Amino acid sequence: MGEAGRICGIVLAAGAGTRFGGPKALARTPEGEPWIARAARALRGGGCDEVVVVLGAEADAAADLVPDGTRVAIAADWAGGLSRSLRVGLGAAAGADAAVIVPVDTPDLPAAAVARVIAGAARAPLARAEYDGRPGHPVLVRADHFVALADAVTGDGGAGAYLARHGALRIDCSDLWSGEDRDRR
């Protein structure tokens, strides 16, 4: 267990990836490694006790890319936006003391950023990485915020507004990587 108790990593990978040219759940590095596998490895390596990948668009094909020992949760209504995937992920994390959330489109996320954000959970129930002053991922949410966060998100909105409203601890990870997500191939 991490400092936050039992931690569930959540990879949000349900969207159609319209700007990307297809579902990011199917994306691979130039070397052929699935982004899903990279995200799961970063979460595990950073201190998550278990990992759940939320799939939607092309779920059957993407499920083949999910590494062994990683659970899959399906967001059947994924087309309704990011909020639908986030709700499914938080539901799949029920029973955990906290969740660390990352989108699949951050394939360069290092485990060290996950570990740093988890360490911040000792000081705050909500925490998020920041890069040169910009909020980013990973995001940590303690279980006592799961329901309220799920209720607060709508459409394609993520957790950002909720985290800001509730004073999430911002943890600088600029020295670890850029924090950039990939919207285009």
Side-chain angles (χ1 to χ4, degrees):
M1 286 208 286
E3 290 180 5
R6 195 170 75 72
I7 302 170
C8 180
I10 300 172
V11 180
L12 300 176
T18 52
R19 289 177 300 191
F20 188 71
K24 293 177 186 177
L26 300 176
R28 295 174 181 263
T29 66
E31 298 77 32
E33 183 180 15
W35 285 7
I36 287 173
R38 290 179 67 98
R41 187 173 64 244
L43 288 167
R44 284 238 188 240
C48 293
D49 300 292
E50 65 176 322
V51 176
V52 173
V53 176
V54 181
L55 299 176
E58 301 286 340
D60 289 340
D64 291 338
L65 305 178
V66 175
D68 290 341
T70 302
R71 286 192 296 137
V72 171
I74 303 295
D77 59 351
W78 61 268
L82 176 63
S83 62
R84 308 290 174 89
S85 302
L86 183 54
R87 283 189 196 111
V88 169
L90 291 169
D97 297 302
V100 176
I101 305 161
V102 299
V104 72
D105 64 0
T106 55
D108 298 322
L109 169 73
V114 175
R116 191 174 289 174
V117 170
I118 289 172
R123 302 188 315 267
L126 298 167
R128 81 174 314 163
E130 76 173 13
Y131 303 91
D132 295 324
R134 292 175 291 106
H137 292 90
V139 167
L140 182 134
V141 178
R142 283 206 178 257
D144 56 346
H145 283 270
F146 286 5
V147 172
L149 174 57
D151 289 345
V153 294
T154 60
D156 224 12
Y162 182 90
L163 295 170
R165 194 168 49 251
H166 290 87
L169 177 66
R170 290 174 65 151
I171 300 169
D172 186 33
C173 293
S174 302
D175 61 315
L176 301 175
W177 73 301
S178 70
E180 295 296 321
D181 63 356
R182 297 199 190 164
D183 285 331
R184 306 218 186 276
R185 286 194 193 263

